[in-house]
Amino acid sequence: MSGVEHHVHYYVWYRVLAAPVEARRAITALQDDVAASTGIRGRVLVRRDDPATWMEIYENVSAPAQFETAMTAAVALHRAADFAHDRARHLETFVAPA
């Protein structure tokens, strides 16, 4: 890419196999903390054909290092990985094509 900084879009998906109400509370608290630290408000979707598969979406992140630090801290604080099957939260990042 050229020297232009592109906004990064974060997608985190995982399977919630138990305690969906508690998982939703934890993810809401996680997203509240991330928003307070970074100004980025995430949202949660569930897979249409498999409501146990959740996806957190964080768009237009202009300071990825700060965002990732805040996300890592919030995941630990709210024990978000505890709700994911095998504690696996899958992170993918995208940018607009050059």
Side-chain angles (χ1 to χ4, degrees):
M1 288 191 208
S2 66
V4 176
E5 178 66 30
H6 293 279
H7 286 134
V8 179
H9 309 282
Y10 289 77
Y11 302 88
V12 183
W13 65 272
Y14 46 91
R15 300 205 64 222
V16 175
L17 299 180
V21 172
E22 291 85 357
R24 184 68 176 127
R25 281 190 202 119
I27 298 307
T28 297
L30 175 156
Q31 291 183 322
D32 288 346
D33 286 358
V34 169
S37 296
T38 68
I40 302 297
R41 170 60 63 186
R43 55 194 172 110
V44 176
L45 300 176
V46 297
R47 189 169 159 168
R48 181 178 177 200
D49 61 345
D50 178 11
T53 301
W54 293 19
M55 179 177 290
E56 298 169 36
I57 300 172
Y58 305 88
E59 298 178 296
N60 299 312
V61 176
S62 61
Q66 176 192 4
F67 177 82
E68 290 171 19
T69 298
M71 173 66 80
T72 298
V75 167
L77 177 64
H78 298 290
R79 301 177 57 161
D82 289 357
F83 296 99
H85 177 65
D86 291 338
R87 298 183 48 84
R89 290 172 50 89
H90 306 278
L91 171 67
E92 299 184 28
T93 58
F94 292 81
V95 295

